[in-house]
Amino acid sequence: MAEIRVGMGYDVHRTEAGRRMVLGGVVFEDAPYGLLGHSDGDVVLHAIADALLGAAGLGDIGQHFPDTDPRYAGADSRKILRTVADMVRQAGYEPVNIDVTLLAEEPRIGCRREAMRAAIADTTGIDPARVNIKATTSEGLGFVGRREGLACLAIAAVKNALFSGCPSSSPGRA
Ligand code: MG
């Protein structure tokens, strides 16, 4: 029988004018500002990476991709998330699903929701139907409401790949 484990992730990035806004691996060309970060500042992919690492018991993104490492300066966060998905599989787990809540006054994700979903599914190697993206404003309250930063919450489930696909009635299997 497969073991299911869940992990949570949370990330915040400060907004900065003149930076490119990348969310969930998708560029928002018309956003009035981007997100400051050592990498491309993709707050959505960072939250997902932490959720997957947490589910597999592998620590957090800061341990594996320190912001002092020049290899990740300006990095495409899809590269980070792809590496995390590989680490999760190497640890014997298969990602099951990912659910995300982005906290932002803007941009509205609207028509890019499906593109984000596709990018996250492709990067993690799971079916797009197992990726869900939600967004909410902060009703003008706090740092998100003042447009000083964006925050993202993510949760991910993984299953123990070593046992997946084995019939539960299979005799002689531990
Ligand atoms: Mg981050």
Side-chain angles (χ1 to χ4, degrees):
M1 197 174 134
E3 177 194 19
I4 300 285
R5 296 172 55 148
V6 296
M8 59 167 286
Y10 173 68
D11 195 27
V12 171
H13 279 261
R14 189 182 288 271
T15 54
E16 187 172 271
R19 291 266 301 190
R20 199 170 68 138
M21 175 76 81
V22 188
L23 294 171
V26 174
V27 178
F28 285 65
E29 305 90 354
D30 50 348
Y33 39 70
L35 296 176
L36 196 59
H38 182 63
S39 65
D40 60 8
D42 192 329
V43 70
V44 175
L45 296 196
H46 295 179
I48 292 171
D50 258 351
L52 284 169
L53 288 170
L58 294 172
D60 69 28
I61 192 171
Q63 285 174 262
H64 301 289
F65 308 94
D67 61 11
T68 50
D69 190 334
R71 283 180 301 169
Y72 302 107
D76 181 337
S77 294
R78 285 177 300 183
K79 195 171 136 189
I80 293 172
L81 184 57
R82 195 168 283 124
T83 303
V84 164
D86 287 346
M87 289 167 61
V88 166
R89 290 190 171 96
Q90 276 162 21
Y93 294 98
E94 179 62 28
V96 174
N97 74 303
I98 293 166
D99 186 28
V100 168
T101 301
L102 174 69
L103 289 81
E105 299 299 312
E106 58 185 347
R108 298 295 169 99
I109 59 172
C111 58
R112 293 190 182 90
R113 189 192 302 261
E114 289 307 311
M116 293 167 73
R117 196 176 187 186
I120 293 162
D122 179 63
T123 306
T124 53
I126 71 174
D127 192 295
R130 294 177 179 272
V131 177
N132 191 70
I133 302 174
K134 311 179 299 296
T136 181
T137 70
S138 188
E139 298 282 337
L141 298 171
F143 72 88
V144 170
R146 292 189 298 271
R147 295 170 163 78
E148 293 168 359
L150 264 61
C152 188
L153 296 153
I155 187 162
V158 300
K159 65 180 175 184
N160 189 326
L162 298 175
F163 296 98
S164 65
C166 295
S168 55
S169 60
S170 181
R173 295 248 184 188

